């Protein structure tokens, strides 16, 4: 078939990566992790925890805001994670 008549398919977006910046013994971090785990499991999105006490760069950037949720390395929220807002951010292609 001629390239003129081929449909161009839009490039597929890269899969998201959610990072939860947390510290041991933090009850808000435990609450945030439950929300992140639930939403990411439902949507098939990868997520990873990062311990702020083991990473100087994260400590300097986020110590007063933990827990912090990053989506693809960009800050999404801190302190309390809203399930619906996180879900929208992970499913809306414009974000």
């Amino acid at each position: 078939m001629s390239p003129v008549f081929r449909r161009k398919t839009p490039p597929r977006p890269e899969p998201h990566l959610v990072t939860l910046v947390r510290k041991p013994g933090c009850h808000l971090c435990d609450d945030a992790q439950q929300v992140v785990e639930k939403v990411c499991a439902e949507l098939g999105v990868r997520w990873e925890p990062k311990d702020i006490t083991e990473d100087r760069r994260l400590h300097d950037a986020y110590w007063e805001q933990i827990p912090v949720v990053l989506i693809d390395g960009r800050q999404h929220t801190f302190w309390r994670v809203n399930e619906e807002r996180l879900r929208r951010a992970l499913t809306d292609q414009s974000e």
Side-chain angles (χ1 to χ4, degrees):
M1 177 180 272
S2 168
V4 173
F5 296 108
R6 287 190 189 143
R7 289 185 190 179
K8 290 188 178 181
T9 56
R12 295 186 74 192
E14 292 294 317
H16 290 295
L17 172 62
V18 175
T19 304
L20 175 60
V21 181
R22 57 168 300 145
K23 73 173 185 174
C26 167
H27 74 280
L28 286 178
C29 299
D30 295 338
D31 294 346
Q33 183 167 328
Q34 288 181 338
V35 173
V36 168
E37 284 178 341
K38 177 182 178 185
V39 172
C40 288
E42 288 174 2
L43 299 176
V45 173
R46 292 182 311 128
W47 79 277
E48 64 181 2
K50 293 279 184 159
D51 185 339
I52 200 167
T53 65
E54 296 177 359
D55 186 318
R56 189 70 189 163
R57 185 186 59 81
L58 291 176
H59 181 276
D60 291 347
Y62 301 116
W63 180 251
E64 294 181 0
Q65 296 179 337
I66 61 165
V68 175
V69 175
L70 309 175
I71 298 177
D72 303 327
R74 294 175 46 191
Q75 186 170 346
H76 167 71
T77 194
F78 62 97
W79 292 339
R80 300 215 183 263
V81 182
N82 180 284
E83 184 177 330
E84 290 306 314
R85 182 170 178 259
L86 178 59
R87 186 175 285 107
R88 277 193 313 272
L90 293 172
T91 56
D92 184 2
Q93 299 303 319
S94 66
E95 290 199 15

